[in-house]
Amino acid sequence: MEAKDLEFFKEYLTQMIDDIQRQGEATIEEMSDHVEYYSDPADRASAESDRTFTLRLRDRDRKLIKKINEALDRIEDGTFGICEDCGDEIGIPRLKARPMTTLCIECKSRREEEERLRGD
C-alpha cells in the first residue's frame, strides 16, 4: 500500500475516533441536562428505553474505538491492509467501507459461510 493511502486511512480513522468521542460527550451532556419527571408510567418506561438504547450505542462506540486503535497500530507496524488469514492485500474499496477490517472479502465471506453452516 502506498504512503498516501496509509496517510489517508490514518487521518480517516483518527477522525472517526474524534467523531465518536464528540458523540459520547454530547450524550453525557444531554443525559446530565435532562432531568425529567413523568407522571405517566408509560412515558417513563419509554424514556428509560430510549436512554438504555443510547447507552448501548455508546458502548458499541467504545468497542469500535478499540478496533480503530488496533487499525492505527497496524498502520504503524506495517500490517495495515494485509489479510490476517491469507496474507494478501485487502482491497482499497473494502478498507474504505470498513477501515478497521483485518480480513479480505474472500476470507471474510468464507468465515461467514462457516459460521452459517455451524449455526453461529
Side-chain angles (χ1 to χ4, degrees):
M1 184 173 299
E2 295 181 24
K4 69 177 177 70
D5 294 328
L6 290 173
E7 188 60 33
F8 166 80
F9 284 112
K10 187 174 184 177
E11 290 176 17
Y12 184 66
L13 290 164
T14 302
Q15 183 62 47
M16 286 178 73
I17 288 175
D18 292 343
D19 292 344
I20 291 169
Q21 288 175 334
R22 206 172 8 264
Q23 290 173 349
E25 291 168 4
T27 299
I28 290 170
E29 286 179 29
E30 184 177 309
M31 287 185 170
S32 298
D33 292 343
H34 283 84
V35 178
E36 297 184 30
Y37 300 98
Y38 301 98
S39 58
D40 183 13
D43 289 342
R44 175 181 229 155
S46 179
E48 283 298 317
S49 176
D50 291 347
R51 180 183 169 114
T52 301
F53 180 72
T54 300
L55 291 173
R56 283 196 352 234
L57 289 176
R58 295 296 79 85
D59 188 52
R60 287 182 62 185
D61 288 345
R62 181 186 55 81
K63 292 173 185 174
L64 182 58
I65 286 175
K66 182 180 179 208
K67 290 180 181 184
I68 293 169
N69 282 324
E70 290 169 355
L72 288 167
D73 290 343
R74 288 193 302 277
I75 288 174
E76 294 303 317
D77 70 20
T79 60
F80 181 80
I82 306 295
C83 178
E84 66 181 20
D85 275 4
C86 68
D88 289 343
E89 280 195 24
I90 300 171
I92 297 288
R94 173 148 172 77
L95 288 169
K96 284 183 177 178
R98 184 87 175 144
M100 63 288 298
T101 190
T102 59
L103 299 172
C104 68
I105 194 70
E106 292 83 16
C107 291
K108 180 63 175 171
S109 296
R110 186 180 66 248
R111 278 196 186 180
E112 287 176 351
E113 180 62 22
E114 290 168 357
E115 289 171 1
R116 187 186 66 76
L117 292 173
R118 284 193 313 261
D120 291 350

